[in-house]
Amino acid sequence: MESGSQVELPEHIGTQFEVYVNGVLQQRGVDFDQRGRTLVFRHQLAQEGRLGFWRWLSLFLGVAGTYRRNDTIDVVHTVDGRRSVTTLQAERVSSSE
């Protein structure tokens, strides 16, 4: 079973774009594949999720930090001749191929 992550491209993003994960340029066909308006990443991307009360309180009081993995996906595209960045949230997928 293979697992990875996917993200749906919003309608305002055209066919020419660049994808960055945590600021690192990703290569189509190497790091991700495009299936229609969906980008399918070959590895699992993580989102930190919501902080519970005790973790939030410990951050607020400066007792502890948060060291959870939190991958960001930025898509650089052109809107009206100007470069623009859209940040997207990935969702996990698993498939048997």
Side-chain angles (χ1 to χ4, degrees):
M1 180 165 280
E2 182 182 312
S3 65
S5 296
Q6 69 181 21
V7 65
E8 196 73 25
L9 289 174
E11 292 298 321
H12 70 274
I13 297 178
T15 58
Q16 299 296 317
F17 55 85
E18 298 172 345
V19 178
Y20 294 82
V21 174
N22 299 329
V24 178
L25 180 62
Q26 304 295 293
Q27 299 296 321
R28 188 177 309 192
V30 175
D31 301 306
F32 70 93
D33 296 308
Q34 185 174 358
R35 297 185 186 138
R37 303 284 308 157
T38 304
L39 303 181
V40 181
F41 292 87
R42 298 182 179 187
H43 57 281
Q44 193 73 248
L45 300 175
Q47 300 298 317
E48 184 174 33
R50 293 185 50 144
L51 295 176
F53 172 77
W54 293 109
R55 182 172 287 275
W56 179 88
L57 182 62
S58 69
L59 287 168
F60 180 75
L61 296 175
V63 175
T66 180
Y67 302 102
R68 296 180 186 171
R69 192 169 146 207
N70 187 37
D71 296 319
T72 60
I73 303 167
D74 295 320
V75 179
V76 178
H77 54 98
T78 304
V79 176
D80 297 327
R82 294 176 33 187
R83 287 173 59 90
S84 181
V85 177
T86 300
T87 301
L88 305 172
Q89 295 280 332
E91 50 188 64
R92 294 180 179 172
V93 295
S94 60
S95 62
S96 55
E97 292 183 22

Short mmCIF file of all heavy atoms in Angstrom, two decimals, residues 7 13 15 19 21 23-24 27 42 44-45 49-50 53 56 61 72-73 77 96:
data_model
loop_
_atom_site.label_atom_id
_atom_site.label_comp_id
_atom_site.label_asym_id
_atom_site.label_seq_id
_atom_site.Cartn_x
_atom_site.Cartn_y
_atom_site.Cartn_z
N VAL A 7 -3.50 17.66 -2.89
CA VAL A 7 -4.08 18.98 -2.69
C VAL A 7 -4.81 19.37 -3.97
O VAL A 7 -4.36 19.05 -5.07
CB VAL A 7 -2.99 20.01 -2.31
CG1 VAL A 7 -2.01 20.23 -3.42
CG2 VAL A 7 -3.59 21.33 -1.89
N ILE A 13 -5.93 29.33 -10.25
CA ILE A 13 -4.56 28.96 -10.62
C ILE A 13 -4.61 28.33 -12.01
O ILE A 13 -5.30 27.35 -12.23
CB ILE A 13 -3.95 27.99 -9.60
CG1 ILE A 13 -3.84 28.69 -8.24
CG2 ILE A 13 -2.59 27.50 -10.07
CD1 ILE A 13 -3.31 27.82 -7.14
N THR A 15 -2.51 26.96 -15.70
CA THR A 15 -1.75 25.75 -16.00
C THR A 15 -0.25 25.92 -15.73
O THR A 15 0.47 24.93 -15.60
CB THR A 15 -1.94 25.33 -17.47
OG1 THR A 15 -1.54 26.42 -18.31
CG2 THR A 15 -3.40 24.98 -17.74
N VAL A 19 5.48 24.73 -7.55
CA VAL A 19 5.04 24.20 -6.26
C VAL A 19 6.24 24.14 -5.31
O VAL A 19 7.30 23.63 -5.69
CB VAL A 19 4.42 22.80 -6.41
CG1 VAL A 19 4.01 22.24 -5.05
CG2 VAL A 19 3.23 22.84 -7.35
N VAL A 21 7.29 23.07 -1.23
CA VAL A 21 6.94 22.48 0.06
C VAL A 21 8.01 22.92 1.04
O VAL A 21 9.20 22.64 0.84
CB VAL A 21 6.85 20.94 -0.01
CG1 VAL A 21 6.63 20.35 1.38
CG2 VAL A 21 5.73 20.51 -0.94
N GLY A 23 9.26 25.73 1.35
CA GLY A 23 10.20 26.62 0.68
C GLY A 23 11.11 25.95 -0.34
O GLY A 23 11.95 26.61 -0.95
N VAL A 24 10.95 24.64 -0.55
CA VAL A 24 11.80 23.91 -1.49
C VAL A 24 11.00 23.62 -2.76
O VAL A 24 9.91 23.04 -2.69
CB VAL A 24 12.30 22.58 -0.86
CG1 VAL A 24 13.13 21.79 -1.86
CG2 VAL A 24 13.10 22.86 0.40
N GLN A 27 9.49 19.17 -8.08
CA GLN A 27 9.51 18.87 -9.51
C GLN A 27 8.35 17.95 -9.87
O GLN A 27 8.17 16.90 -9.25
CB GLN A 27 10.84 18.19 -9.89
CG GLN A 27 12.06 19.04 -9.62
CD GLN A 27 12.08 20.29 -10.46
OE1 GLN A 27 11.72 20.28 -11.64
NE2 GLN A 27 12.49 21.40 -9.86
N ARG A 42 4.16 12.27 -3.62
CA ARG A 42 4.61 10.89 -3.45
C ARG A 42 4.97 10.57 -2.01
O ARG A 42 5.21 9.42 -1.67
CB ARG A 42 5.78 10.62 -4.38
CG ARG A 42 5.34 10.78 -5.82
CD ARG A 42 6.41 10.49 -6.79
NE ARG A 42 5.85 10.65 -8.14
CZ ARG A 42 6.49 10.35 -9.23
NH1 ARG A 42 7.71 9.90 -9.17
NH2 ARG A 42 5.92 10.54 -10.40
N GLN A 44 4.20 11.60 2.33
CA GLN A 44 3.21 12.10 3.26
C GLN A 44 3.59 13.50 3.75
O GLN A 44 4.71 13.71 4.19
CB GLN A 44 3.12 11.15 4.46
CG GLN A 44 1.93 11.37 5.33
CD GLN A 44 0.66 10.89 4.69
OE1 GLN A 44 -0.17 11.71 4.34
NE2 GLN A 44 0.52 9.61 4.51
N LEU A 45 2.67 14.43 3.64
CA LEU A 45 2.86 15.77 4.18
C LEU A 45 2.05 15.88 5.47
O LEU A 45 0.94 15.36 5.55
CB LEU A 45 2.40 16.83 3.18
CG LEU A 45 3.13 16.82 1.84
CD1 LEU A 45 2.51 17.82 0.88
CD2 LEU A 45 4.61 17.10 2.02
N GLY A 49 -2.11 20.46 13.10
CA GLY A 49 -3.42 20.25 13.72
C GLY A 49 -3.67 21.26 14.84
O GLY A 49 -2.88 22.16 15.09
N ARG A 50 -4.77 21.07 15.51
CA ARG A 50 -5.15 22.00 16.58
C ARG A 50 -4.37 21.71 17.84
O ARG A 50 -4.07 20.58 18.17
CB ARG A 50 -6.64 21.85 16.86
CG ARG A 50 -7.50 22.32 15.71
CD ARG A 50 -8.94 22.26 16.08
NE ARG A 50 -9.13 22.94 17.36
CZ ARG A 50 -10.18 23.65 17.67
NH1 ARG A 50 -11.14 23.78 16.80
NH2 ARG A 50 -10.30 24.23 18.84
N PHE A 53 -5.71 22.39 24.98
CA PHE A 53 -5.64 23.43 25.99
C PHE A 53 -4.29 23.44 26.70
O PHE A 53 -3.66 24.48 26.87
CB PHE A 53 -6.77 23.27 27.01
CG PHE A 53 -6.63 24.22 28.18
CD1 PHE A 53 -6.96 25.55 28.03
CD2 PHE A 53 -6.14 23.77 29.40
CE1 PHE A 53 -6.81 26.43 29.10
CE2 PHE A 53 -6.00 24.65 30.46
CZ PHE A 53 -6.34 25.98 30.31
N TRP A 56 -1.44 24.58 24.45
CA TRP A 56 -1.57 26.01 24.22
C TRP A 56 -1.12 26.79 25.45
O TRP A 56 -0.39 27.78 25.36
CB TRP A 56 -3.02 26.36 23.86
CG TRP A 56 -3.21 27.82 23.65
CD1 TRP A 56 -3.05 28.52 22.49
CD2 TRP A 56 -3.57 28.79 24.64
NE1 TRP A 56 -3.29 29.86 22.71
CE2 TRP A 56 -3.61 30.05 24.02
CE3 TRP A 56 -3.87 28.69 26.00
CZ2 TRP A 56 -3.95 31.21 24.70
CZ3 TRP A 56 -4.20 29.86 26.69
CH2 TRP A 56 -4.23 31.09 26.03
N LEU A 61 2.65 30.28 28.37
CA LEU A 61 3.47 30.56 29.55
C LEU A 61 4.97 30.46 29.26
O LEU A 61 5.79 30.77 30.12
CB LEU A 61 3.09 29.61 30.69
CG LEU A 61 1.65 29.76 31.21
CD1 LEU A 61 1.35 28.69 32.24
CD2 LEU A 61 1.43 31.15 31.77
N THR A 72 4.19 23.10 4.72
CA THR A 72 3.40 24.10 4.00
C THR A 72 3.57 23.91 2.50
O THR A 72 4.66 23.58 2.03
CB THR A 72 3.83 25.54 4.37
OG1 THR A 72 5.20 25.71 4.04
CG2 THR A 72 3.62 25.82 5.84
N ILE A 73 2.49 24.09 1.77
CA ILE A 73 2.50 23.97 0.31
C ILE A 73 2.15 25.33 -0.27
O ILE A 73 1.07 25.86 -0.02
CB ILE A 73 1.46 22.94 -0.18
CG1 ILE A 73 1.72 21.59 0.46
CG2 ILE A 73 1.49 22.83 -1.70
CD1 ILE A 73 0.58 20.62 0.29
N HIS A 77 1.99 31.36 -8.92
CA HIS A 77 1.30 31.43 -10.21
C HIS A 77 1.17 32.88 -10.62
O HIS A 77 1.53 33.79 -9.87
CB HIS A 77 -0.08 30.75 -10.12
CG HIS A 77 -0.93 31.29 -9.01
ND1 HIS A 77 -1.88 32.24 -9.22
CD2 HIS A 77 -0.93 31.02 -7.68
CE1 HIS A 77 -2.46 32.53 -8.08
NE2 HIS A 77 -1.90 31.81 -7.12
N SER A 96 -3.73 1.47 -3.15
CA SER A 96 -2.97 0.25 -3.47
C SER A 96 -2.82 0.20 -4.96
O SER A 96 -3.78 0.13 -5.70
CB SER A 96 -3.69 -0.97 -2.93
OG SER A 96 -5.01 -1.00 -3.42
#
